Amino acid sequence: MTIAVLNRRKLLAAGGAVLATGVSGLLLPARAEGLAPTPSMSGGSNNYIKGAPTVERIGKGGFWMSGTVRRAGDGAPLAGQRIQIWAHTTEGQEHEPHSHGATLTDKNGVFRLDMPQIIPIFGQPHGHLAYDSGDFKTVFLRPVLRSAKETSLEAHFVLQPA
């Protein structure tokens, strides 16, 4: 059994490493060109309905879809960006208009929308999200849940100018 001993020298070295790389160096992979844009996912645009309304909640809720929207390159959070969300849920199928809704990011580039529980279709529980506002290139995501019992899902967008 190995016992790690934390002494002043190791603590100072670790603190120096954090200062040298910055806290962001611990959270994001290093890239010489900055933060790379998110590519659209295959199948992400399936059943997309252009112009779905901005809503407080889809259906009766109970499942949280959330994430962040940042700018490619510098990773700055993007406020006021529209994210459309839709899925096959306990209350409707993903092609039905009442299963679609949009939300806006807050000042920190964070979005969150309450929606009905996602259930499997074609063997996979998955959601659909789209950035489609026009200021940046459109991105469609189709994240898959590990289990149909999960009650939340996160998706993150890094956008490049249109």
Side-chain angles (χ1 to χ4, degrees):
M1 179 163 104
T2 304
I3 298 174
V5 177
L6 186 62
N7 59 30
R8 188 186 319 219
R9 184 176 298 163
K10 289 181 182 177
L11 185 60
L12 288 173
V18 168
L19 289 175
T21 62
V23 173
S24 64
L26 297 174
L27 302 175
L28 300 171
R31 294 182 188 263
E33 73 280 2
L35 192 59
T38 303
S40 280
M41 297 175 80
S42 177
S45 63
N46 292 352
N47 297 304
Y48 170 71
I49 298 174
K50 186 172 180 67
T54 301
V55 297
E56 292 293 320
R57 179 177 68 209
I58 298 173
K60 295 178 184 169
F63 182 94
W64 285 100
M65 184 73 78
S66 62
T68 57
V69 179
R70 296 181 290 158
R71 184 174 50 223
D74 64 6
L78 296 172
Q81 300 304 310
R82 184 178 182 279
I83 301 296
Q84 184 180 152
I85 298 170
W86 70 100
H88 192 79
T89 71
T90 55
E91 295 179 23
Q93 297 180 4
E94 62 185 45
H95 68 273
E96 298 172 327
H98 70 271
S99 293
H100 290 244
T103 188
L104 299 175
T105 57
D106 67 13
K107 67 180 181 176
N108 298 311
V110 174
F111 66 89
R112 184 174 160 127
L113 187 64
D114 192 13
M115 61 187 289
Q117 178 66 42
I118 291 177
I119 59 174
I121 183 168
F122 305 118
Q124 292 181 320
H126 63 276
H128 292 266
L129 300 97
Y131 165 81
D132 62 353
S133 293
D135 296 333
F136 297 88
K137 291 185 180 178
T138 298
V139 176
F140 292 100
L141 299 181
R142 184 187 175 273
V144 176
L145 283 73
R146 288 173 288 201
S147 163
K149 294 179 181 178
E150 291 185 35
T151 59
S152 66
L153 182 61
E154 284 188 10
H156 303 283
F157 292 81
V158 178
L159 304 176
Q160 60 184 341

